[in-house]
Amino acid sequence: MSSAIDRLDALAYAAAHEQARALAAGETSASALLEHLLARIERHNPRLNAIIARDDAAARAAARAADAALARGERKPLLGVPVTVKENFNVAGLITSVGDPAHAGNRATQDAPAVAALREAGAVLIGKTNVPLALADLQSYNDIYGATLNPWDETRTPGGSSGGAAAAVAAGLTGLELGTDIGGSIRIPAHFTGVFGHKPTVGLVHNGGTGVPAGRQTLRDLAVAGPLARSAQDLELALQVLLNRDPLASKAWRAQLPASRHERLRDFTVLLLAQWPGQEASRSELRVHARLLDILQAAGARVLRPADLPSGLLPDLNAAHVLYRSLLGASLPPRPSLPEGVTIDGLRNLGDEDDPDAAWLRAPYLSHHEWLQKHEARLQLRNRWEAFFGAVDLVLTPVLATTAFRHDHSPKDARRTPVEYPSGTRSLRFAELFNWAGLPVLPGLPATSFPLGIDEDGLPYGAQAVGPYLEDLTPIRFAHLLERAGAIGFQAPSGLD
């Protein structure tokens, strides 16, 4: 009995593809694995508050069905693997509220297409994970479900908006997660909790059946859906499962991803960025840079810095960030109130070409013509990146200027996040935290977040690999090769068990 329990303990922290292999090999059953994770949830989730909605009866029935299918010799990518999904995905019978009490009774009648894809791949759905109100924070707390804690340090946030998702994966409460990302909402929680996450190329994974109100057909500009996991290989597995799920487009169109550009680390040419243009690099950013440089030099990869590039090849990151803030803000409804002394007419006359704060304020009041001009600039930027990736395989950057920060539920506009720099501590406004996270979002590029290690404060930290448009398998495979070489990898939170 003890050996069986030890095996289940190990599987709780194993990658999803390893769980699927163990189930297919008969080393344990889907029902036994599910019950083990449900017991872990009962033990750890009351503190962490990562999983906020469950349907144990349906999960047990799905596990029994998976065991029967396995016994018949059926094989699917996730057959019998327990998974969870972010709260904003519709799951039949469960509430979709995005943390808003006004939608606390919004019970879904059918699965979102991405959730249905996981079930069709054999996954056993445990339930849903916590988010911030309206998915609009780097923390995960709301008035319905409360706050989610980071399993590495419960005084700190696991990030947002896929914070419950990342915490559940890191704590070994689920085999795989499904999140969304518009401003780092997959990659920042992965960085904060030491797991892997992938922001797919925009439009590649259909993210319909999400959010409120129920039945909404419009998909939010810039937003994507993607996986969080304990291995890069799981990201690729999940991405393949999630492709071609748009119920209308799939009648005629099929996405078939290009293979990774390389299968050996030494064949990659990467641009390594540690410092946002015009800004001092934080201590966390410098740590990411030093760790990546050591890994890449040991692997024999070709490492470039901005000074090594031909003039004009790298797009203007500051100008792109202003455009990102504008199109991101344009996807939001008009604000209930404007800052004191600011009028709508004043905003319409406000120049927003060089100032991300001005671009953000003005964004909800853009005319359609102005929005189309900015959309054209986005497509021009995408072409600039395509030319860039003719010479470079990947861009490697930090995910955020700091590791997981302490819980702070003060209003976002008044909130200040302390960030350590060589010159001293600076307090950054909420809006100042999104430069690295926004870099791949505006042009719609894929980005894979992967863990690099644990810092001197005992907190995980990671980096992101940004790849060419629709070449998602290149950054994922790069992370997998680092993992296979032993340079990086998931670590279970110290002290949790």
Side-chain angles (χ1 to χ4, degrees):
M1 177 65 74
S2 61
S3 62
I5 294 174
D6 290 344
R7 177 59 176 151
L8 288 169
D9 283 336
L11 280 177
Y13 282 120
H17 73 273
E18 293 171 348
Q19 293 179 347
R21 185 207 57 77
L23 291 167
E27 296 173 12
T28 189
S29 68
S31 294
L33 180 57
L34 172 66
E35 293 302 328
H36 189 74
L37 291 195
L38 290 178
R40 287 184 60 80
I41 292 168
E42 290 298 320
R43 185 160 71 251
H44 297 301
N45 200 60
R47 294 195 326 277
L48 297 178
N49 194 36
I51 299 173
I52 45 75
R54 288 160 49 187
D55 187 342
D56 291 2
R60 286 178 169 125
R64 290 193 297 270
D67 284 329
L70 288 163
R72 292 192 300 269
E74 292 184 23
R75 296 296 180 264
K76 295 179 180 180
L78 294 170
L79 187 54
V81 175
V83 305
T84 48
V85 299
K86 190 174 178 179
E87 199 272 356
N88 61 313
F89 284 91
N90 284 344
V91 173
L94 298 182
I95 299 293
T96 299
S97 70
V98 297
D100 187 343
H103 298 285
N106 178 38
R107 193 172 300 279
T109 57
Q110 65 181 26
D111 291 340
V115 174
L118 294 176
R119 291 198 203 264
E120 288 175 20
V124 173
L125 184 62
I126 296 174
K128 303 175 77 172
T129 50
N130 204 18
V131 297
L133 173 64
L135 316 181
D137 205 337
L138 292 183
Q139 304 174 78
S140 293
Y141 68 93
N142 58 74
D143 288 341
I144 300 177
Y145 300 116
T148 298
L149 312 184
N150 191 319
W152 283 92
D153 180 345
E154 294 178 8
T155 69
R156 298 176 188 266
T157 177
S161 59
S162 307
V169 173
L173 307 184
T174 182
L176 185 74
E177 249 287 347
L178 180 60
T180 55
D181 191 313
I182 194 173
S185 288
I186 287 172
R187 293 160 289 140
I188 291 171
H191 161 59
F192 279 3
T193 60
V195 302
F196 294 78
H198 184 67
K199 183 204 92 64
T201 295
V202 67
L204 193 59
V205 175
H206 182 65
N207 62 344
T210 59
V212 293
R216 179 172 56 90
Q217 293 298 302
T218 302
L219 303 181
R220 186 176 177 187
D221 189 22
L222 300 170
V224 302
L228 296 95
R230 288 185 289 268
S231 80
Q233 190 172 336
D234 285 353
L235 300 180
E236 180 173 345
L237 182 158
L239 184 61
Q240 297 288 3
V241 165
L242 295 168
L243 291 179
N244 303 312
R245 302 303 305 189
D246 185 324
L248 295 180
S250 61
K251 291 196 295 184
W253 300 334
R254 293 288 186 277
Q256 185 172 350
L257 297 180
S260 171
R261 291 189 173 190
H262 306 293
E263 293 295 336
R264 300 181 302 181
L265 288 171
R266 66 177 179 268
D267 293 335
F268 279 88
T269 297
V270 302
L271 175 66
L272 182 57
L273 299 178
Q275 182 176 0
W276 190 263
Q279 297 183 15
E280 180 184 13
S282 71
R283 293 190 183 277
S284 181
E285 289 167 328
L286 291 171
R287 181 184 299 109
V288 168
H289 177 269
R291 177 78 177 119
L292 282 173
L293 190 58
D294 285 346
I295 292 172
L296 294 168
Q297 288 177 338
R302 184 184 180 210
V303 180
L304 303 177
R305 295 170 177 80
D308 300 321
L309 300 174
S311 177
L313 183 62
L314 180 65
D316 184 331
L317 300 187
N318 279 311
H321 188 66
V322 174
L323 184 59
Y324 164 66
R325 294 284 291 165
S326 185
L327 287 176
L328 178 65
S331 70
L332 296 169
R335 298 173 184 83
S337 62
L338 292 171
E340 186 176 352
V342 177
T343 66
I344 292 178
D345 286 341
L347 285 176
R348 286 173 177 156
N349 296 323
L350 185 65
D352 63 357
E353 293 81 10
D354 302 314
D355 185 345
D357 290 336
W360 177 256
L361 273 176
R362 191 169 179 269
Y365 307 97
L366 294 174
S367 69
H368 184 55
H369 177 68
E370 289 171 320
W371 186 92
L372 287 174
Q373 289 179 313
K374 293 180 183 295
H375 178 57
E376 173 64 21
R378 166 179 28 194
L379 298 182
Q380 294 288 347
L381 176 66
R382 184 177 295 169
N383 285 340
R384 289 281 308 278
W385 278 112
E386 190 71 6
F388 170 89
F389 283 117
V392 178
D393 297 314
L394 294 169
V395 180
L396 302 183
T397 83
V399 180
L400 202 72
T402 184
T403 52
F405 50 83
R406 298 190 184 278
H407 299 284
D408 181 357
H409 298 171
S410 59
K412 284 186 294 184
D413 289 343
R415 190 185 303 163
R416 297 294 182 268
T417 300
V419 178
E420 299 293 331
Y421 291 85
S423 61
T425 302
R426 289 172 51 198
S427 294
L428 299 189
R429 295 180 294 114
F430 182 76
E432 295 177 299
L433 296 170
F434 294 92
N435 46 11
W436 297 120
L439 185 154
V441 174
L442 176 65
L445 304 178
T448 301
S449 177
F450 53 90
L452 283 174
I454 310 300
D455 72 7
E456 62 272 15
D457 295 321
L459 296 173
Y461 66 99
Q464 67 176 351
V466 179
Y469 185 73
L470 288 175
E471 295 187 47
D472 292 57
L473 297 185
T474 293
I476 292 177
R477 183 55 57 91
F478 176 79
H480 173 61
L481 292 171
L482 291 178
E483 190 180 14
R484 195 168 69 184
I488 66 168
F490 168 76
Q491 298 181 51
S494 58
L496 184 65
D497 291 299

